[in-house]
Amino acid sequence: MPDLPHPRRRTSPIRGRRRWLAALLLLALWPVDPAQTEPSHAIAMHGLPKHPAGFQAFSYVDPAAPKGGRLVLGATGSFDSLNPLIVKGTAASGVRDFVVESLMTRGLDEPFTLYGLLAERIEVPDDRGSVTFHIDPAARFSDGTPVTSDDVLFSLALLRDKGRPNHRTYYKKVAATERLSERSVRLVLDGSGDREMPLILALMPILPRHKTDPATFEETSLQPPVGSGPYRIARVDAGRAIVYERDPGYWGKDRPVNRGRFNFDEIRFEYFRDGAALLEAFKNGEIDFRSEEDPAQWAEGYDIPAVKDGRIVREEMATGLPAGMTALAFNTRRKVLESPGVRRALIHLFDFEWINRNLYHSLFTRTESYFARSMLASSGRPADERERQLLAPFPGAVRPDIMAGTYSFPKSDGSGQNRANWREAMRLLGEAGYRLDGGKLVEAASGKQLSFEILAGSPGQERLLARFAADLARLGIEARLRIVDSAQYQARLRSYDYDMIQTTWPASLSPGNEQLFRWSSAAATTDGTFNFAGVRNPAADAMIAELLAAKDSDAFVSAVRALDRVLLSGDYVIPLFHLPRQWIAYWRHLQRPATTPLYGYSIDTWWSTKSK
């Protein structure tokens, strides 16, 4: 609402009357949505927030957790930048988590609910066609400068024009902006019906306008940024380590969303050349905490005195999150893998049962859905009527057995002799125009061998990928395994310079705009997205639009399952496996709250019992 003249201001009666008439006319023309809600402390994607206004702390924290001590975490590879919001470079771990804040923050015991942080209140109309943020008057950057509407508008424009592809995609949906006051800003959306956008905008990283140079923003830099978060960057050892120091003057330390969180005086990330070196550093006490994802290591790698005598704790944590999709992704942009028949044949040649038994102690579960381990998965259940209606305009986009929920990925007896699947693979390859010639599988038309490269960014992937390549070689297919360093791997991912990679797309209970970044046709032709497979499918685009526009849980779940069926039918990946639970190990001085949130462990709620 525009400012009105102050009633006590001395002015002539005629001039004052004109000003009041002008103000009333402006109010009459001001766009007001009759369904505009009252400002709220929180917003949920579907339903109502769990925690009411005036709540004291999240249910999964210990508000009395002691402050102090140090947390040392490990990372593999290296870094050459402190800016995680641009395409160039490899950013150091932790900058986005501890230094740069958003307008609102997630509640981790709900599928997708946000609570006030930099913005103490949010208001949206029923159609979610706009969103208004009211900034907390206490909000400050670490240099003491207040956070204002101008910083919000500056961050929006900068990230829309020069940020990562996901930010550019999201923020282009803002059609107009209105600076209502120094601490209130209204963002008007483009009318596309994307009901998640108010929440996406609430998670926008807010940068200080007075400390951020748009001219150099896209360049990598090791200059510590000024943020509003609970930590400041204290030391940087380029490519090797970064140290965060808790800001004693942090403006938000007493806010309900932060009570019991950010308890360590210092957080340090140490970088190691590979996962094996990082594990040894953990065992030696150089690293405090480790999330384990390798079943072989979980089964055999912790047989050390520190575990036996209790100095290291191992736990299996329950999680309510979908498992997501870990897979060997085909780059369908490459001619050799553009044929669905070739891709389906290669799926048959992956012997999960042998690999799980011999490499992973049978501790993995085969992934059958992009949202495995959750109610969002389409596997094992027939499409409901709403799904069928959504998919009706796209005949052939979903295979009949996937529509019926009866499909499962090819299985073997685990003996290593995958003969039934080999025969089916050879049939599919024959239909795709390939034949055996002198022990090589060649394209009949050109005589060229079926050959592609599998790109890996870690030696830890070698056992799995080498076994798969060996199985392919038995049928005359050449799969070349190439392992490159972290920087080269990231660079090749950004430009899609690979035939196949092993990757993971994490999943949440409220998939939304990130699906555009992973599966949309637009993302397939934009460098730096997570559409590693090059999916260009009108049915996938339509299902993403439907899940973004869903107004209730039933419509949302149906749209997500329909998207799942489209992706499974496209044979874009060879699904691998997932862990049944989260596996973590940590040194005994670390303590955690008694309650684990829906999302699993949250390290920023932990604390240390020993001083730094």
Side-chain angles (χ1 to χ4, degrees), residues 366-445:
R366 184 72 189 268
T367 298
E368 301 271 356
S369 163
Y370 285 78
F371 306 96
R373 203 178 57 195
S374 80
M375 65 176 295
L376 299 176
S378 68
S379 53
R381 52 168 60 94
D384 60 33
E385 185 57 34
R386 184 181 284 105
E387 288 179 72
R388 293 181 180 277
Q389 291 174 0
L390 294 176
L391 292 165
F394 306 97
V398 176
R399 299 206 302 269
D401 53 349
I402 292 178
M403 188 74 85
T406 58
Y407 175 79
S408 63
F409 284 93
K411 295 179 175 59
S412 75
D413 60 9
S415 67
Q417 301 298 315
N418 196 11
R419 297 188 185 282
N421 289 328
W422 292 348
R423 286 194 294 271
E424 177 62 14
M426 291 304 294
R427 185 188 69 79
L428 290 166
L429 290 166
E431 291 180 352
Y434 286 88
R435 61 180 176 81
L436 280 172
D437 183 4
K440 294 182 179 180
L441 190 72
V442 301
E443 189 178 33

Side-chain angles (χ1 to χ4, degrees), residues 16 33 78 96 122 130 184 197 221 229 231 279 293 300 388 402 448 454 460-461 511 517 525 586:
D33 189 330
S78 184
R96 184 66 178 89
I122 181 175
S130 67
S184 295
M197 273 307 298
S221 172
Y231 290 85
L279 177 58
E293 297 183 353
E300 298 178 339
R388 293 181 180 277
I402 292 178
K448 185 178 180 180
I454 307 175
Q461 298 174 313
F517 200 57
T525 56
Y586 55 93

Side-chain angles (χ1 to χ4, degrees), residues 350-367:
F350 183 80
D351 192 343
F352 167 76
E353 284 70 26
W354 188 94
I355 287 172
N356 194 31
R357 178 188 301 172
N358 290 276
L359 301 186
Y360 304 120
H361 299 264
S362 297
L363 292 174
F364 272 136
T365 299
R366 184 72 189 268
T367 298

Side-chain angles (χ1 to χ4, degrees), residues 98-398:
F98 302 124
V99 176
V100 180
E101 288 186 312
S102 301
L103 292 163
M104 305 184 79
T105 190
R106 283 180 181 267
L108 298 182
D109 48 358
E110 302 164 80
F112 192 12
T113 299
L114 304 180
Y115 293 85
L117 185 57
L118 287 174
E120 61 178 351
R121 293 174 296 150
I122 181 175
E123 53 185 306
V124 294
D126 288 341
D127 68 358
R128 296 194 176 182
S130 67
V131 56
T132 301
F133 297 105
H134 302 283
I135 299 170
D136 192 322
R140 296 285 188 278
F141 293 106
S142 61
D143 63 358
T145 306
V147 179
T148 69
S149 298
D150 294 327
D151 296 304
V152 175
L153 296 174
F154 171 81
S155 301
L156 174 68
L158 184 64
L159 295 173
R160 178 198 62 208
D161 298 338
K162 298 187 176 185
R164 295 187 63 82
N166 56 326
H167 289 146
R168 299 186 192 202
T169 299
Y170 300 157
Y171 303 156
K172 283 179 181 177
K173 294 186 177 185
V174 177
T177 62
E178 300 170 8
R179 185 187 187 277
L180 305 180
S181 71
E182 185 179 11
R183 293 192 178 89
S184 295
V185 60
R186 182 173 183 242
L187 309 178
V188 181
L189 302 177
D190 62 1
S192 61
D194 183 348
R195 294 180 60 81
E196 191 188 31
M197 273 307 298
L199 286 85
I200 293 296
L201 291 168
L203 290 174
M204 178 171 59
I206 303 302
L207 305 170
R209 186 180 63 160
H210 68 289
K211 285 290 186 179
T212 308
D213 184 359
T216 60
F217 180 73
E218 292 179 276
E219 300 301 319
T220 59
S221 172
L222 292 176
Q223 176 67 32
V226 172
S228 63
Y231 290 85
R232 295 176 295 194
I233 296 175
R235 295 184 299 281
V236 177
D237 183 358
R240 298 179 179 178
I242 183 168
V243 179
Y244 298 90
E245 184 176 66
R246 189 156 56 87
D247 182 358
Y250 171 47
W251 74 271
K253 61 184 177 182
D254 296 321
R255 294 304 186 266
V257 294
N258 289 328
R259 289 196 182 108
R261 300 174 64 201
F262 309 120
N263 301 312
F264 302 101
D265 280 346
E266 181 179 292
I267 298 175
R268 180 183 182 93
F269 286 88
E270 292 278 359
Y271 279 76
F272 298 86
R273 66 182 182 277
D274 54 40
L278 194 157
L279 177 58
E280 289 306 310
F282 172 74
K283 293 177 183 179
N284 293 333
E286 299 173 47
I287 303 298
D288 294 320
F289 175 92
R290 177 176 173 82
S291 175
E292 184 59 76
E293 297 183 353
D294 186 338
Q297 293 291 1
W298 191 247
E300 298 178 339
Y302 293 83
D303 186 18
I304 58 176
V307 173
K308 294 176 181 177
D309 62 25
R311 286 176 292 151
I312 289 179
V313 180
R314 293 204 313 159
E315 288 192 272
E316 296 188 7
M317 307 285 287
T319 175
L321 285 178
M325 175 60 77
T326 295
L328 301 181
F330 300 111
N331 187 355
T332 61
R333 304 171 184 85
R334 297 294 179 94
K335 182 174 177 57
V336 67
L337 295 172
E338 67 181 2
S339 165
V342 170
R343 301 198 300 269
R344 196 169 304 165
L346 295 175
I347 291 172
H348 275 79
L349 294 177
F350 183 80
D351 192 343
F352 167 76
E353 284 70 26
W354 188 94
I355 287 172
N356 194 31
R357 178 188 301 172
N358 290 276
L359 301 186
Y360 304 120
H361 299 264
S362 297
L363 292 174
F364 272 136
T365 299
R366 184 72 189 268
T367 298
E368 301 271 356
S369 163
Y370 285 78
F371 306 96
R373 203 178 57 195
S374 80
M375 65 176 295
L376 299 176
S378 68
S379 53
R381 52 168 60 94
D384 60 33
E385 185 57 34
R386 184 181 284 105
E387 288 179 72
R388 293 181 180 277
Q389 291 174 0
L390 294 176
L391 292 165
F394 306 97
V398 176

Side-chain angles (χ1 to χ4, degrees), residues 390-391 394 538-548 559-560 562-563 566:
L390 294 176
L391 292 165
F394 306 97
D541 294 336
M543 296 311 105
I544 295 171
E546 289 290 341
L547 71 88
L548 292 175
V560 175
L563 173 63
V566 170

